[in-house]
Structures are given as structure tokens and as C-alpha cells.
Amino acid sequence: MSEILTPHDSGAMLIDGKAGAAAVDAAARAAAAELAGALGRQPALAVVLVGEDPASQVYVRNKIRRTEAAGMRSIEHRLPAETTEHDLLTLVAALNADDGVDGILVQLPLPAHIDARLVVESIDPAKDVDGLTARSAGALVQGAPGLRPCTPSGCVWLARQALGDLTGKSVVVIGRSILVGKPAALLFLEQNCTVTLAHSRTADLAKVCAGADILVPAVGRPEMVRGDWIKPGATVIDVGINRVEADGKARLVGDVAFDEAIESAGFITPVPGGVGPMTIAMLLVNTCAAAAARAGLSTPNALSDILGG
Ligand code: GUN
């Protein structure tokens, strides 16, 4: 297996999310095999895609491929963009009722005529492998057992690969979305970090960031975080994936100006190949955790470091 931390010429260490995701996928594969023995069937993840959004098509294709590679059953529902809210709710209800389905993921964004909150809330919390229902979010706030959102879980896991125990670290998360910013703040708090949740209205954001041992930008603004915002030696976990055009060519950049940041950072995730691949890895972990919990089984040993850390 390849190394997750690799030295860069600047002296910083790169945190390789592709290698990290491969390690977590392998743990999910071991857990899925153990669960398949206990359940008499493979753990199963249902993915629902409505419409033709190109980025969503890529995500869903990758989810299906990696679910199957991990020895799980992938159930796929591709619905036309004109699908009614009622029909989508009916499908989610059928997946909730199907005992052979362990996890349900409705790919976001949904077409504008569908109320995404209503659809997400209709998912059985026991199958909410995205961790997006109010029940899952409430469990996270209370520190109660429950399924945690995948991208922020991936951020915490990568930070732990770089730094080990995170107790006492100062964390600045930038962005307050339900998908990433808010749950990331709570997950780092659960790791005994001191967390600041910054956002677009934060006064003197550069100064706030300069106090961070761990900086987690999740705003979707290309290269907004400059090198001089970063405390020397800090760990940078860049959640942004932004497509930009330069010299007629499209490329992906993060929320961090990487070439500047790498001169100050101690550890930094690249874009692409940093946080991005971790989301599906954590989805596979959550699917196994959901399968175990629904069957009254304890969490497979292969996942205890990932979920218990
Ligand atoms: N669209 C982009 N990221 C995600 C995700 O993590 N979950 C869902 N359901 N949709 C997404």
C-alpha cells in the first residue's frame, strides 16, 4: 500500500487522499466480507440520481464502482429530471422498507422543483449513510451514536493521519454548510479540538486563520486562502474543488492557493487527490456500519480505528 504522507520539495508533507481512500476502502472491504458472512448477504448501498447533472454522474459512477470493488451490493436508481417529488418520495419509502438495503444516498443537488430537505428527511435514519437527516445531525450535536457525514469524517481522518491525537489543536473551519462546514466543526470538537467556525461574514478572516493549527476551508472559492494566512507548520485540509479556466485550459483548484500555502504548511492536501477521494471511502464505511447496526451486530473490527478514533 502506498504512503499517505509524502515529502514535498518545500519541506511540507503532502497528505495523499487517494492513498488514504485506498486504505479506508480496504478496511471497508474487510468489514463487508465479515458482514456478508454474518448476514448471509452483501451489505447493500442504494444510490438515487435524478437528472443529468454531469458532476453528479461522475460521482455516482465512482460510488458504484468502489461499492462493488469493496464487495458490497450497489443498487442504482437513475430517474429523469422531470421526476416528481411524490415519485421520488415513493422510491425512498420503498428503499426504507426493503430489508436488503442498508444505506440510501440521494445524490444532491436535486432539480429545483423537488424539495431536497423533504426528500433527505424521508430517509430512514438507520440507513442515512450520508449523515444528513435531522436525526443524524442531532446525534452528532449530542455526541450520541449515529451516522456521520462523509466528507467531514474524511477531513478528520486525514488530519489524524498527519498529526495523530488532535486533542488541544486549534481548528478553523471556513464555511457553514450542512454538508461539510457545520458537521466538520462538530467532528473536530469531538476530537477535543478548539474549533472556530468561520464563514463569508467573518471579520478579518486572514487573522482568524493565522491562529489555526488545522485549517479546513470548505467554501468553494478558488484559491481564496493565501499563503500568508497559514501559520508556519499548520495542517491544511482543503475541501474546495473548483473548476477554473486559465489559458483556455480547465483545471481543478482548491479553496487554498496551494503553491503559496505549501511554503508555510507542515501538512497539506492537494486538489485533486486530497479530501475528494475520502468522501466515497467514508460512505463505504458508513454502509458497513449501518448494515451491522441494523442487524444488531457490533461494528466490524476492521472499522473500529476509523469510526472510533
Ligand atoms: N453531492 C455532492 N456531495 C454529496 C454528498 O456527499 N452526498 C450527496 N448525497 N450528494 C452530494
Side-chain angles (χ1 to χ4, degrees):
M1 196 179 301
S2 58
E3 292 290 329
I4 294 167
L5 304 177
T6 56
H8 184 270
D9 291 345
S10 66
M13 297 293 277
L14 284 175
I15 309 173
D16 181 347
K18 271 175 91 169
V24 173
D25 279 20
R29 187 179 171 80
E34 185 182 322
L35 285 165
L39 300 173
R41 62 166 179 83
Q42 292 177 312
L45 170 64
V47 174
V48 180
L49 174 62
V50 183
E52 311 283 331
D53 179 66
S56 292
Q57 306 253 14
V58 175
Y59 288 140
V60 166
R61 213 169 27 242
N62 286 331
K63 274 171 196 159
I64 293 166
R65 179 176 55 76
R66 283 172 60 187
T67 303
E68 289 174 348
M72 292 184 232
R73 178 174 165 225
S74 176
I75 302 158
E76 191 187 333
H77 290 273
R78 288 173 188 270
L79 307 177
E82 320 74 69
T83 301
T84 64
E85 187 178 277
H86 178 266
D87 284 354
L88 184 54
L89 289 168
T90 303
L91 172 60
V92 172
L95 295 169
N96 283 340
D98 185 340
D99 208 33
V101 172
D102 298 297
I104 302 170
L105 182 143
V106 178
Q107 183 68 29
L108 303 174
L110 287 169
H113 67 276
I114 297 176
D115 180 347
R117 276 244 58 86
L118 191 68
V119 173
V120 167
E121 282 310 317
S122 76
I123 296 171
D124 178 351
K127 301 187 180 187
D128 175 24
V129 286
D130 248 344
L132 294 180
T133 60
R135 178 85 74 91
S136 298
L140 173 58
V141 170
Q142 296 191 340
L147 293 159
R148 307 301 195 220
C150 300
T151 301
S153 297
C155 293
V156 170
W157 190 84
L158 290 173
R160 286 173 55 88
Q161 299 310 299
L163 301 174
D165 182 7
L166 304 181
T167 297
K169 301 290 183 197
S170 162
V171 176
V172 175
V173 176
I174 317 175
R176 50 184 158 177
S177 70
I178 291 174
L179 206 55
V180 183
K182 283 183 193 173
L186 290 161
L187 285 168
F188 279 105
L189 186 63
E190 213 163 54
Q191 298 290 318
N192 306 310
C193 298
T194 303
V195 179
T196 303
L197 183 47
H199 48 79
S200 57
R201 308 278 183 91
T202 295
D204 206 347
L205 184 57
K207 193 166 147 204
V208 172
C209 292
D213 299 318
I214 303 171
L215 184 59
V216 187
V219 281
R221 289 208 205 162
E223 302 185 325
M224 183 188 81
V225 175
R226 311 310 306 189
D228 60 2
W229 297 21
I230 293 163
K231 178 157 104 176
T235 297
V236 179
I237 308 289
D238 188 352
V239 184
I241 302 178
N242 309 290
R243 189 174 297 276
V244 295
E245 295 269 343
D247 305 327
K249 276 193 291 190
R251 63 187 184 104
L252 293 179
V253 300
D255 290 347
V256 176
F258 182 87
D259 292 344
E260 297 174 16
I262 198 146
E263 300 299 330
S264 320
F267 298 88
I268 184 166
T269 56
V271 176
V275 173
M278 292 303 301
T279 300
I280 295 176
M282 291 302 172
L283 180 69
L284 303 181
V285 167
N286 275 353
T287 302
C288 289
R294 292 183 59 248
L297 302 167
S298 55
T299 304
N301 283 334
L303 303 184
S304 50
D305 276 357
I306 299 166
L307 288 168

